[in-house]
Amino acid sequence: MNPWLFVVAAYAVACLGTLGLTLASLVAMRRAERAAESLKRR
Amino acid sequence: MHAFANPTRFLSLARPLTGWLGWAGAVLALVGIIAGLTLTPRDYLQGETVRIMYIHVPAAWLGMAGWGGIAAASVAELVWRHPLAAIAARATAVPGAVFAAICLASGSIWGRPTWGTWWEWDGRLTSMLVLFFLYIAYIALADASADRGGGARVAAIFGLVGAINLPIIHFSVLWWRTLHQGQSIGFTGSTIAPSILWPLPLTTIGFTLLFTAIILMRMRMLLANAKLEARQRRMGGAA
C-alpha cells in the first residue's frame, strides 16, 4: 500500500469539502444580498 | 454582545470582516498544508500518513467548536432572546456538519493504513458520528421552524441538549479503551515531536478563520433572505 495514496485522498476530501462549502456560501450570500437590494430599489 | 443586536450594526462589521477572515484563513491553511506535506519529516511509526493530521485535527476541532457555537447561540436565544442568536446558530450548522464529515472521512482514510480498518465502533469514532447526525437533525429542525415562521426556541433547546455530546467526544479516549489514540495535544504540552507538530497550529488557525468567514457569509445570506421576505410580505399586504 502506497501511503501517499491515503494522504492525497484525505487532503482531496478536506480541500474539496472546504472549497465547495466556501463557494456555495459565497454564491448564496451574494444572490440573497442582490435580491434584497433589487427589491429595495423598486 | 447586545451592541450587535441591531442587524445593521452587525452587517457594518461583518461585511469587511468576511473578506479579511476568509483570505487570511485561506492563506494560513494553504501555508500549513504545503509545510505539512513537504517540510516535516515522516513519523517513525506511522510513516507518511501522519501528514493527514494537519487536516484531520482542524476538522475535528471545527466540528466540535461548531456545535459549541450553536449551544452558545442557543443560550443567547433562550435567555436573552438575542435577535441574531437564532441566525448565528442556523448559519453555523451546515459548516459544522461539513467539517464533522471531513473529520470522519479523513479519519477513516487515516485508519485504513494505520489500524488496518476503515471503521471501528469505538467511543471516539461513534461519538463523532453521533455529532454529525445531530447536525443533520438540527439543520432539518431549524429549517422546518424557520419555514413555519418562528419556533426558534425548539431548535435552541435541541442545540443545548446536543451539547452533552461534546464532553463525551472529548473524554471518550479516557473513558473507554479505544482504537483511537489518547489525547496527544494539551494546553501544557504535546507528546508529538515539535518537528512534526509545527504546521498544525497554522492549519488549525487558518481553517478556523475560514470557518468564521463562512459563518459570516451564511449569516449575511439569512439576514438578506429575512429582509427580502419581510419586504415581500409588506408589498403583498399593500397590494
Side-chain angles (χ1 to χ4, degrees), chain B residues 61-142:
Chain B
W61 146 247
L62 290 172
M64 290 174 70
W67 199 280
I70 288 175
S74 299
V75 171
E77 163 70 23
L78 292 170
V79 178
W80 299 293
R81 287 184 178 265
H82 194 288
L84 288 177
I87 287 172
R90 276 187 74 196
T92 309
V94 172
V98 169
F99 277 96
I102 290 173
C103 169
L104 288 166
S106 59
S108 176
I109 294 167
W110 197 0
R112 183 68 185 89
T114 312
W115 302 331
T117 179
W118 297 100
W119 184 262
E120 186 68 39
W121 292 101
D122 85 348
R124 175 58 68 85
L125 276 68
T126 308
S127 54
M128 199 66 200
L129 184 66
V130 168
L131 178 69
F132 175 70
F133 288 140
L134 284 172
Y135 272 120
I136 302 300
Y138 183 87
I139 292 164
L141 189 62

Side-chain angles (χ1 to χ4, degrees), chain B residues 12-225:
Chain B
S12 68
L13 187 76
R15 283 197 183 105
L17 266 180
T18 309
W20 281 107
L21 291 173
W23 282 113
V27 169
L28 264 181
L30 201 64
V31 169
I33 284 172
I34 292 168
L37 287 175
T38 59
L39 301 179
T40 55
R42 61 203 296 275
D43 182 59
Y44 78 104
L45 201 61
Q46 296 188 36
E48 304 292 356
T49 55
V50 74
R51 300 179 200 283
I52 296 174
M53 171 180 71
Y54 305 119
I55 46 144
H56 177 72
V57 173
W61 146 247
L62 290 172
M64 290 174 70
W67 199 280
I70 288 175
S74 299
V75 171
E77 163 70 23
L78 292 170
V79 178
W80 299 293
R81 287 184 178 265
H82 194 288
L84 288 177
I87 287 172
R90 276 187 74 196
T92 309
V94 172
V98 169
F99 277 96
I102 290 173
C103 169
L104 288 166
S106 59
S108 176
I109 294 167
W110 197 0
R112 183 68 185 89
T114 312
W115 302 331
T117 179
W118 297 100
W119 184 262
E120 186 68 39
W121 292 101
D122 85 348
R124 175 58 68 85
L125 276 68
T126 308
S127 54
M128 199 66 200
L129 184 66
V130 168
L131 178 69
F132 175 70
F133 288 140
L134 284 172
Y135 272 120
I136 302 300
Y138 183 87
I139 292 164
L141 189 62
D143 284 356
S145 303
D147 287 346
R148 277 186 285 140
R153 291 176 75 82
V154 178
I157 291 167
F158 184 75
L160 218 48
V161 172
I164 293 168
N165 192 40
L166 295 181
I168 295 175
I169 297 172
H170 182 75
F171 292 110
S172 58
V173 288
L174 302 174
W175 289 344
W176 299 293
R177 186 184 293 276
T178 68
L179 200 54
H180 195 282
Q181 69 180 67
Q183 194 176 325
S184 49
I185 304 165
F187 287 114
T188 50
S190 169
T191 54
I192 303 170
S195 60
I196 291 178
L197 188 67
W198 70 268
L200 186 60
L202 293 178
T203 54
T204 305
I205 295 169
F207 276 109
T208 304
L209 295 181
L210 201 53
F211 186 79
T212 313
I214 292 167
I215 290 171
L216 289 179
M217 285 178 207
R218 301 187 78 86
M219 284 183 77
R220 286 171 60 182
M221 174 198 72
L222 290 169
L223 282 170
N225 282 340

